[in-house]
């Protein structure tokens, strides 16, 4: 390797260009995985464009992207003791954006103190951001799994899970039209590397260690407001956030479409507020909630976990068709969409006008007798339906691993049997009146009657007389 090939920016004391095939001990999984990722980003522009685009950085055809591993900065408040795993540099014209990269692999987790040290390095060297990568999950790249007390102005922090990186590569390989067959080949090899069990890439497989205690406490009727419960509840909600993110990735990979979390704008902007609000929800209702969006689906998919009832409810709402006037016609419109669905655990809820009580019935029974969903009051038509899968997890609910297995079985099953089958009602466009039948020469070919010039002149003259007379 020539010295020119490894030319370093002025602000680095040492480091080397990230290598697709890194040299190092086989036990150094973290260094090897980081080097493969950064080299892949350097070589495969559609891949780096997507990853960096998620955090607001544009990678164009003329952009210059360089990645380095095991870097040491000249201006180091830690006096050379701190060595980030990598550095990304993107140049667009005269503008250069830089980010420190810190990664963990396997069961290693990110350390708040170490991240704070990197923040000081970034501040001392004019670095724009810090990207962390681990098997920990975050709802969005802007939501970090580690609580950061202070972040200096001008420095941002982002997080990718390894599963997110891998899923992005898989989707990109199947959906992107590559200009170069070499890039497609490299991305395929990249995926093959990270899919191997030896790399240490893992999905979220179990809830927090306090999960069973929290579930037992709720089922016994005890509240979650004691001071000793605070950390348990926070860890439970944080674990739930990680699971929901992993669930989105799982569905994205399965459907080959980007499945996203649906969050209120205030929660997207402030992950700390989201955590506090959902801690409050869990304490007050014993519920964990989440909503996800599948492209082109009739509606978002809602998930409610009831710790007291030990149930998992997955549902979609759909408006009733307004062009069908009777309850029977509207109910049959919905049932026709679900005629091939396996009815196990699926319940239909119908919402009626005029404060009429909601009715519900199992799909299995409705296929035989749709009238079971109609209300006692006559001449009413439902305004909305909700299709729900209610899974009673029983003993599996309190298991850290079996609960995750139940969630990851219920949601894909619901989408297969319900989500991909439902179609939202769309009103028909208005119809124009039929063309008038006339052979008159006063009718245009388009069917529009000709205007009579004389009548126009008379009307105009009459109008002028009114004006002149002061009328």
């Amino acid at each position: 390797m020539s010295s020119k090939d490894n030319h370093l920016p002025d602000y680095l004391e040492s480091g080397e260009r990230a290598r697709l095939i890194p040299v190092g001990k086989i036990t150094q999984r973290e260094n090897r995985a980081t080097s493969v990722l950064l080299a892949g980003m350097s070589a495969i522009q559609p891949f780096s464009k997507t990853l960096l685009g998620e955090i607001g950085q544009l990678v164009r055809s003329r952009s210059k992207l360089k990645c380095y591993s095991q870097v040491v900065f000249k201006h180091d408040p830690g006096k050379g003791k701190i060595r980030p795993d990598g550095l990304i540099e993107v140049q667009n014209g005269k503008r250069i954006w830089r980010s420190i990269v810190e990664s963990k692999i396997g069961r290693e987790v990110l350390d708040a103190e170490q991240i704070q040290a990197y923040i000081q390095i970034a501040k001392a060297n004019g670095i724009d951001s810090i990207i962390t990568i681990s098997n920990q999950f975050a709802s969005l790249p802007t939501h970090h799994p580690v609580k950061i007390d202070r972040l200096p102005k001008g420095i941002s922090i982002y997080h990718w899970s390894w599963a997110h990186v891998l899923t992005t590569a898989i989707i990109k390989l199947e959906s992107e039209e590559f200009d170069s067959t070499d890039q497609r080949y490299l991305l395929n090899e990249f995926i093959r590397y990270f899919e191997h069990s030896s790399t240490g890439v893992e999905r979220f497989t179990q809830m927090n260690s306090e999960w069973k205690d929290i579930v037992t406490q709720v089922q016994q009727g005890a509240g979650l407001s004691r001071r000793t419960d605070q950390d348990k509840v926070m860890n439970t909600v944080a674990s739930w956030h990680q699971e929901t993110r992993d669930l989105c990735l799982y569905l994205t990979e399965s459907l080959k479409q980007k499945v996203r979390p649906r969050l209120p704008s205030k929660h997207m902007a402030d992950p700390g507020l989201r955590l506090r609000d959902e801690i409050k929800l869990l304490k007050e209702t014993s519920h964990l909630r989440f909503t996800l969006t599948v492209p082109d689906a009739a509606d978002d998919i809602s998930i409610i976990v009831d710790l007291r009832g030990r149930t998992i409810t997955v549902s979609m709402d759909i408006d009733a068709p307004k062009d069908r006037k009777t309850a029977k016609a509207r109910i049959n419109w919905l049932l026709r969409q679900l005629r091939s669905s396996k009815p196990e655990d699926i319940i239909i809820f119908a919402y009626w006008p005029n404060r009429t009580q909601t009715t519900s019935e199992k799909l299995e029974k409705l296929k035989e007798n749709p009238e079971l969903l109609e209300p006692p009051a006559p001449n009413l038509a439902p305004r909305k339906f909700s299709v729900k899968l209610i899974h009673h997890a029983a003993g599996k609910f309190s298991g850290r691993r079996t609960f995750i297995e139940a969630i990851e079985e219920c949601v894909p099953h619901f989408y297969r049997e319900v989500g991909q089958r439902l179609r939202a009602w769309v009103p028909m466009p208005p119809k124009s009146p039929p063309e008038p039948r006339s052979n008159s020469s006063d009718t245009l070919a388009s069917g529009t009657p000709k205007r009579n010039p004389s009548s126009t002149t008379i009307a105009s003259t009459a109008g002028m007389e009114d004006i002149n007379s002061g009328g």
Side-chain angles (χ1 to χ4, degrees), residues 72-234:
V72 176
F73 288 85
K74 289 182 178 179
H75 301 290
D76 182 1
K79 298 180 180 179
K81 295 181 180 180
I82 301 172
R83 177 174 293 191
D85 293 314
L87 176 79
I88 301 173
E89 183 180 281
V90 181
Q91 181 174 354
N92 286 300
K94 295 182 179 180
R95 182 182 179 274
I96 299 177
W97 173 87
R98 303 179 182 94
S99 181
I100 288 173
V101 177
E102 168 60 16
S103 69
K104 300 293 182 184
I105 201 72
R107 296 185 179 180
E108 295 293 321
V109 296
L110 296 164
D111 179 73
E113 185 177 347
Q114 188 179 30
I115 293 173
Q116 289 291 349
Y118 290 151
I119 290 173
Q120 296 306 313
I121 290 180
K123 186 177 180 181
N125 291 273
I127 303 299
D128 301 281
S129 71
I130 298 166
I131 298 173
T132 60
I133 312 168
S134 72
N135 282 322
Q136 295 160 277
F137 291 79
S139 299
L140 301 168
T142 52
H143 291 194
H144 207 274
V146 176
K147 184 179 179 181
I148 308 300
D149 293 330
R150 292 181 180 179
L151 201 60
K153 186 177 180 180
I155 298 177
S156 303
I157 186 165
Y158 306 104
H159 179 76
W160 297 326
S161 68
W162 285 111
H164 171 66
V165 170
L166 176 57
T167 300
T168 301
I170 292 171
I171 298 302
K172 188 58 57 179
L173 182 67
E174 298 197 6
S175 64
E176 191 77 20
E177 290 293 331
F178 288 88
D179 294 333
S180 167
T181 55
D182 291 341
Q183 286 196 339
R184 177 176 286 278
Y185 170 78
L186 288 174
L187 189 57
N188 191 63
E189 290 298 297
F190 178 95
I191 293 168
R192 182 174 177 272
Y193 174 84
F194 279 106
E195 283 185 329
H196 198 280
S197 58
S198 66
T199 59
V201 173
E202 298 176 358
R203 292 201 175 274
F204 190 77
T205 58
Q206 59 183 7
M207 290 292 285
N208 54 305
S209 59
E210 303 95 340
W211 170 251
K212 185 174 183 179
D213 292 341
I214 288 288
V215 173
T216 301
Q217 193 169 323
V218 169
Q219 290 176 354
Q220 291 177 349
L224 297 174
S225 299
R226 297 178 303 184
R227 184 171 297 179
T228 54
D229 294 330
Q230 298 306 308
D231 287 344
K232 291 181 180 180
V233 174
M234 182 177 69

